Amino acid sequence: MSGSHDASRAGDVVAAAARTLARMRVYVKTAVPRGQRAAVLRELMRTPLEELATMNPVAAEHRIEDVVNGLAHDPQDKGSRHIAISASRASALAMTQTRMVAAKLAGLGIATQILNVTTTGDRVQDRPLVAIGSESLFVKELELALRDGRAQYAVHSCKDLPSTLPDDMLIAAISTREDPRDAFCSEKYGSFADLPPGARVGTSSLRRRAQLAALRADLQYVDVRGNVDTRLRKLRDGQYEAIVLASAGLRRLGVAATHTVPFEIAQMVPAVGQGALAVEVRSDAVELGQLLREAVNDEQTERAVMCERAALSTLQGGCQAPIGIHARYEESRLVVDGVIASLDGSSVVRDRMRDDASSIEAAQALGVALAQKLLERGAQRILAASPRPAPLPLAGKLVVLPRTQERAGRLAAALRADGAEVVEMQALGERVPDVIVFPSSGAVSAATAYLQRIHRYEQRPAVATMGPASSAAAHAAGFTPDVVAPEAQVDALVGAVRAHFISKEQNGS
């Protein structure tokens, strides 16, 4: 019996390993340039069977990316040197979208390694988006990865981008658009019209909520957070009678509710850029930007999206504002719809314009003209009464860093992204900071003279440290840290500083 059991177990291991290798082949074919695939697959075949058998899909993809990266740095492998790192959120949808771009880039001989980045919008799940503060909730940490060189490009859902990018960033490419419409999703009801009065409809978008309320004011519109899978699970669990999601995300993931029905554009005008992907690079990444444009860009979608973004910028609305703008080509003419609605749906301003728009400049001019018509018809009054994003969590806070280092430079950028004014210690002068941040024990040593001055202050600044070494050094210097990051990572330290000041404000101190 023992021999039979061992044989059966060995057979199970081989079968599981074969399934993992099959998944790996699919991923390699999708994301690795043709000329590098054989070398990557040979290296993967050297992985022990037991290890292959226990790999989940995510671990398998990480293994492939490690192999690609290793070959890229192998001087004996002349065909695997072209590799770019893409910053991506870690959700299933974000990873799917990044792999779509990676597959296109692989066709030009450039392999992609994916760097997962957690954004503010991902990290804060207990509040509506508008209550978190700031635009770029799903973007700014990816831009930080580009800025400090951890990644060379980033893939975004185009609708997540703010209307104006930072000066050091640019959109290299806009992908062909997937279905741009919003979709009604329900497990019980076949359509939006079938919902009974008082039904709970989940959406995190002010734009959707306002337009839905204009269609039916007799329903309850409530916030729902989480990625696509999480929202569908909450729907299945009965927390909502219906939710509204982007059709594009559902189609890319191949998922749906029992009843999934797209709203027509005339009923619900989509968000700016909805259904398209935007590939962002640093403005000085000229060569990579050109390659991404060649691999990914769709000119008609690009003109349509630039029309929408021009309208949004003219309206001075961000990606969270209750504004719907959608452009598309009908025959040879660019048609753009715009809508702005009050949150309760009682006031709605709509318009539509069209033009030949055979260039980006003409498309942008059409977007500006639509926005001006909406403003003339009363859009400004609605926007003035709409909820505004809360201030950035560290807005108005003066943060001092001992000196610029590689980590301190990244830390300064992350703190500034949260609204803080960040200065180096030597540039502080007589100003009293709100918090001193020590990313290392060496930073504490570098600040010894300055720390002695703090005793003269009527109220000493908070002290924040990254990890046990810098915490111990601060203790030794006579300062008990007010904030200690749970791990030695920039995101963890910034999150801890943010939580410290939020707690102080809530306690009135």
Side-chain angles (χ1 to χ4, degrees):
M1 289 293 291
S2 175
S4 174
H5 176 76
D6 290 344
S8 175
R9 182 180 179 282
D12 291 343
V13 169
V14 171
R19 288 193 294 272
T20 298
L21 280 172
R23 284 195 298 265
M24 285 176 156
R25 287 191 187 96
V26 172
Y27 183 79
V28 168
K29 186 176 180 180
T30 300
V32 178
R34 185 184 299 275
Q36 301 171 24
R37 292 173 191 166
V40 171
L41 288 170
R42 280 196 301 271
E43 189 66 26
L44 293 173
M45 291 293 288
R46 297 191 180 104
T47 308
L49 284 178
E50 292 279 356
E51 185 179 343
L52 286 169
T54 58
M55 279 186 184
N56 60 35
V58 173
E61 290 167 9
H62 287 171
R63 171 64 176 149
I64 293 167
E65 289 160 7
D66 288 344
V67 169
V68 170
N69 195 32
L71 290 174
H73 293 88
D74 183 355
Q76 302 303 316
D77 189 357
K78 305 299 184 183
S80 301
R81 291 186 177 181
H82 299 295
I83 184 168
I85 300 175
S86 175
S88 171
R89 296 166 59 202
S91 72
L93 178 58
M95 290 294 286
T96 296
Q97 294 176 163
T98 298
R99 290 180 189 126
M100 289 169 61
V101 172
K104 297 272 191 181
L105 196 56
L108 298 182
I110 308 285
T112 293
Q113 181 181 352
I114 298 175
L115 171 71
N116 285 145
V117 175
T118 301
T119 67
T120 301
D122 298 316
R123 188 166 45 240
V124 183
Q125 293 287 324
D126 60 345
R127 280 168 276 168
L129 293 175
V130 74
I132 299 175
S134 168
E135 302 295 340
S136 307
L137 293 175
F138 298 104
V139 172
K140 64 184 179 183
E141 284 84 359
L142 302 182
E143 290 178 336
L144 176 60
L146 298 180
R147 203 167 274 129
D148 64 22
R150 286 176 292 147
Q152 283 74 55
Y153 73 92
V155 180
H156 308 285
S157 292
C158 198
K159 66 184 178 65
D160 291 337
L161 289 175
S163 56
T164 303
L165 294 184
D167 290 340
D168 60 341
M169 297 288 154
L170 61 81
I171 297 174
I174 302 289
S175 74
T176 302
R177 204 167 214 159
E178 182 52 272
D179 186 344
R181 295 174 294 176
D182 296 294
F184 167 87
C185 301
S186 180
E187 293 299 310
K188 298 180 183 178
Y189 301 98
S191 71
F192 185 63
D194 291 339
L195 289 171
R200 288 168 57 86
V201 180
T203 175
S204 60
S205 162
L206 295 183
R207 172 191 61 83
R208 288 176 182 147
R209 181 178 297 199
Q211 293 187 66
L212 289 168
L215 294 172
R216 288 193 60 179
D218 62 331
L219 304 176
Q220 295 184 63
Y221 299 106
V222 292
D223 198 64
V224 56
R225 295 294 314 281
N227 58 37
V228 172
D229 289 335
T230 299
R231 296 185 193 199
L232 288 174
R233 176 180 53 74
K234 290 178 178 180
L235 178 65
R236 289 193 299 271
D237 290 346
Q239 297 183 36
Y240 310 91
E241 277 68 55
I243 59 176
V244 179
L245 298 172
S247 293
L250 295 171
R251 290 169 67 94
R252 286 178 180 137
L253 288 173
V255 297
T258 299
H259 304 285
T260 300
V261 184
F263 288 92
E264 293 306 318
I265 301 296
Q267 290 179 292
M268 178 101 77
V269 179
V272 168
Q274 187 159 308
L277 303 180
V279 188
E280 187 178 25
V281 298
R282 288 184 358 189
S283 55
D284 59 359
V286 178
E287 183 178 356
L288 179 59
Q290 290 173 341
L291 287 170
L292 284 162
R293 183 173 179 82
E294 179 182 346
V296 178
N297 198 66
D298 178 77
E299 290 189 357
Q300 280 205 346
T301 306
E302 180 185 32
R303 289 196 293 271
V305 168
M306 290 306 174
C307 172
E308 296 163 11
R309 287 175 58 79
L312 185 66
S313 179
T314 303
L315 292 166
Q316 298 183 356
C319 55
Q320 298 177 39
I323 299 171
I325 307 285
H326 177 66
R328 71 278 182 196
Y329 277 90
E330 294 182 357
E331 296 178 351
S332 61
R333 306 200 81 197
L334 185 60
V335 179
V336 57
D337 283 284
V339 63
I340 298 170
S342 60
L343 204 55
D344 63 2
S346 61
S347 298
V348 181
V349 175
R350 296 179 182 273
D351 217 317
R352 172 182 290 183
M353 295 186 71
R354 62 185 72 225
D355 189 79
D356 292 340
S358 57
S359 68
I360 288 178
E361 292 77 16
Q364 290 173 321
L366 180 61
V368 170
L370 175 72
Q372 290 171 341
K373 284 190 70 175
L374 292 170
L375 290 169
E376 289 168 5
R377 298 184 57 188
Q380 186 58 52
R381 175 179 50 80
I382 297 175
L383 290 174
S386 299
R388 293 290 181 179
L392 288 165
L394 296 181
K397 304 300 181 189
L398 178 61
V399 180
V400 64
L401 291 174
R403 63 174 55 176
T404 300
Q405 312 161 12
E406 179 181 358
R407 176 179 280 177
R410 285 181 52 202
L411 181 56
L415 289 163
R416 289 187 181 108
D418 256 17
E421 179 187 356
V422 182
V423 298
E424 295 179 36
M425 193 161 287
Q426 58 267 35
L428 188 62
E430 294 301 314
R431 300 171 70 191
V432 179
D434 295 284
V435 59
I436 307 169
V437 177
F438 295 116
S440 66
S441 55
V444 178
S445 299
T448 301
Y450 176 78
L451 291 174
Q452 302 308 312
R453 289 171 46 192
I454 292 179
H455 294 294
R456 305 201 310 264
Y457 296 157
E458 187 174 328
Q459 182 175 356
R460 87 163 174 86
V463 173
T465 62
M466 182 185 286
S470 52
S471 178
H475 273 291
F479 293 90
T480 300
D482 303 275
V483 179
V484 180
E487 53 185 318
Q489 299 290 334
V490 167
D491 283 350
L493 181 53
V494 173
V497 172
R498 182 190 303 121
H500 170 77
F501 284 110
I502 289 174
S503 176
K504 284 189 67 176
E505 288 174 7
Q506 289 174 344
N507 294 330
S509 58

